[in-house]
């Protein structure tokens, strides 16, 4: 078996398809599937592993790295299991990969150190270790630059930060896990001059079906969450960032955006300038209790603005907004029939926008 030749063929196919991401991803998946089937058969329980040739072990190692690097997040454990099996066989290369990473990223991209900060990344375990030696804007700027450079080089969006820092800030949104990853971004948010850099990070990090590795269950959240939430609460200039984030949220597997919607309303209020962002937030929520804000929605100007937003949506999305704000279409209809004052036209407009047929 010539592992070098096999991997060279793989690299040539990837290079040939470099300009076509869909085709590249498809061909890569086919290679990984074939490599994986071979590897899992080769080192399965009951086979005499002492007879494995070095070339076979090398191909299993490369298979593990490809699974970890390119397959969906839920497949990563399969790659780690292959590495552990190789470690049991005495593979020093597998031990090195587990300790230092896959070796596919340049040394200067996985380690940075100066008198203020030290950063180290392991792309196998998706861990970025950051030690803040001096609490200042420049330390966090260097940390953010380090993370962004990793993202640009293909580092996993599903990762976690192990942080050593004296500062212990958190983003003011209920329900967020108080992890070291959360604390790094909350600390960085304290420096207003770093907000543009945090936006740059967030736009790189936001990817559907990826999650911070140190979150789970109801606290699961997409990479970029802490930066987006902090920026969205801090300054109106980041409303477009909030909207871009909400459009990528997988509401079936994440619910922290519900608490953010409430925090956003408390911070910025409900009016014609905030309603587009509020509506985008609500559309990413499967369930939210907004009855305590209902009166704020029920002003003449806000009802007309809300109706204008709903008209541009598919009817089922418009009715979803109604359900979150009024509880049901029936509740809205009753409220609309009861209103005789200056808000009457607004209620009629909202009802008409939400009651359209698909």
């Amino acid at each position: 078996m010539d592992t070098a030749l096999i991997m060279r063929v793989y690299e040539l196919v990837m290079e040939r398809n470099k300009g076509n991401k869909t085709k590249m991803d498809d061909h890569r998946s086919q290679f990984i599937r074939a490599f994986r089937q071979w590897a899992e058969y080769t080192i399965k329980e009951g086979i005499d592993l002492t007879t494995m040739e070095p070339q076979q072990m090398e191909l299993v190692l490369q298979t593990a790295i490809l699974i970890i690097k390119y397959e969906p997040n839920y497949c990563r454990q399969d790659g780690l299991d292959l590495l552990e099996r190789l470690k049991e066989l005495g593979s020093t290369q597998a031990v090195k990969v587990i300790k230092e990473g896959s070796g596919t990223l340049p040394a200067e991209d996985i380690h940075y150190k100066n008198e203020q900060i030290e950063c180290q990344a392991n792309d196998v375990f998706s861990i970025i270790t950051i030690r803040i030696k001096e609490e200042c804007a420049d330390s966090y700027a260097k940390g953010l630059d380090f993370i962004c450079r990793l993202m640009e080089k293909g580092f996993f969006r599903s990762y976690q930060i192990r942080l050593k820092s004296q500062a212990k800030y958190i983003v003011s949104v209920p329900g967020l896990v108080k992890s070291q990853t959360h604390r790094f971004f909350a600390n960085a948010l304290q420096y207003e001059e770093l907000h543009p850099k945090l936006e740059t990070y967030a736009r790189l990090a936001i990817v559907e079906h990826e999650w911070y590795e140190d979150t789970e269950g109801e606290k699961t959240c997409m990479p970029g969450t802490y930066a987006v939430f902090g920026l969205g609460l801090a300054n109106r200039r980041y409303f477009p960032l909030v909207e871009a984030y909400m459009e990528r949220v997988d509401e079936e597997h994440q619910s922290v955006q519900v608490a953010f919607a409430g925090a956003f309303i408390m911070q910025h209020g409900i009016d014609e300038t905030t309603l587009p962002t509020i509506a985008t937030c609500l559309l990413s929520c499967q369930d939210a209790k907004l009855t305590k804000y209902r009166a704020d929605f029920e002003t003449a100007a806000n009802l007309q603005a809300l109706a204008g937003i709903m008209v541009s949506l598919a009817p089922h999305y418009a009715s979803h907004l109604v359900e979150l704000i009024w509880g049901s279409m029936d509740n809205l209809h009753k409220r609309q029939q009861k209103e005789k004052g200056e808000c009457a036209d607004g209620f009629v407009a909202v009802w008409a926008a939400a009651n359209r047929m698909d």
Side-chain angles (χ1 to χ4, degrees), residues 337-351:
Q337 290 181 317
K338 186 191 302 184
E339 179 61 41
K340 303 300 181 184
E342 64 175 359
C343 294
D345 289 345
F347 275 109
V348 169
V350 170
W351 171 253

Side-chain angles (χ1 to χ4, degrees), residues 9-23:
V9 171
Y10 163 78
E11 290 166 1
L12 285 172
V13 172
M14 294 301 100
E15 183 67 28
R16 180 69 61 88
N17 293 311
K18 200 170 183 179
N20 188 328
K21 186 179 184 304
T22 300
K23 203 170 183 180

Side-chain angles (χ1 to χ4, degrees), residues 71-201:
E71 289 291 89
N73 188 41
Y74 56 80
C75 295
R76 190 171 302 159
Q77 187 58 47
D78 296 335
L80 295 175
D81 289 344
L82 289 178
L83 287 179
E84 286 297 330
R85 292 287 281 152
L86 289 173
K87 181 181 175 182
E88 292 168 9
L89 292 173
S91 169
T92 57
Q93 190 63 23
V95 172
K96 184 177 180 181
V97 166
I98 292 170
K99 183 179 179 180
E100 301 177 10
S102 68
T104 58
L105 293 170
E108 61 270 20
D109 289 334
I110 62 170
H111 185 251
Y112 176 81
K113 181 180 181 179
N114 68 9
E115 64 280 359
Q116 297 169 320
I117 187 173
E118 183 172 4
C119 306
Q120 181 76 41
N122 185 311
D123 62 342
V124 171
F125 291 99
S126 305
I127 293 171
I128 300 174
T129 302
I130 298 178
R131 179 189 171 204
I132 303 291
K133 295 185 277 187
E134 180 183 346
E135 293 290 342
C136 63
D138 195 50
S139 295
Y140 288 94
K142 291 294 192 300
L144 287 167
D145 287 341
F146 181 80
I147 297 170
C148 288
R149 186 164 57 249
L150 285 172
M151 300 287 151
E152 290 166 348
K153 295 294 179 68
F155 193 82
F156 304 114
R157 289 350 188 231
S158 295
Y159 73 96
Q160 64 176 296
I161 294 174
R162 289 183 179 169
L163 178 68
K164 296 180 180 179
S165 165
Q166 294 299 310
K168 299 184 185 298
Y169 291 97
I170 61 170
V171 177
S172 298
V173 175
L176 294 178
V177 63
K178 294 180 174 64
S179 65
Q180 294 175 36
T181 307
H182 178 175
R183 190 153 58 89
F184 172 80
F185 292 106
N187 290 351
L189 281 159
Q190 303 310 306
Y191 303 98
E192 189 173 351
E193 63 268 38
L194 296 185
H195 287 188
K197 195 177 289 289
L198 281 158
E199 179 180 17
T200 298
Y201 159 76

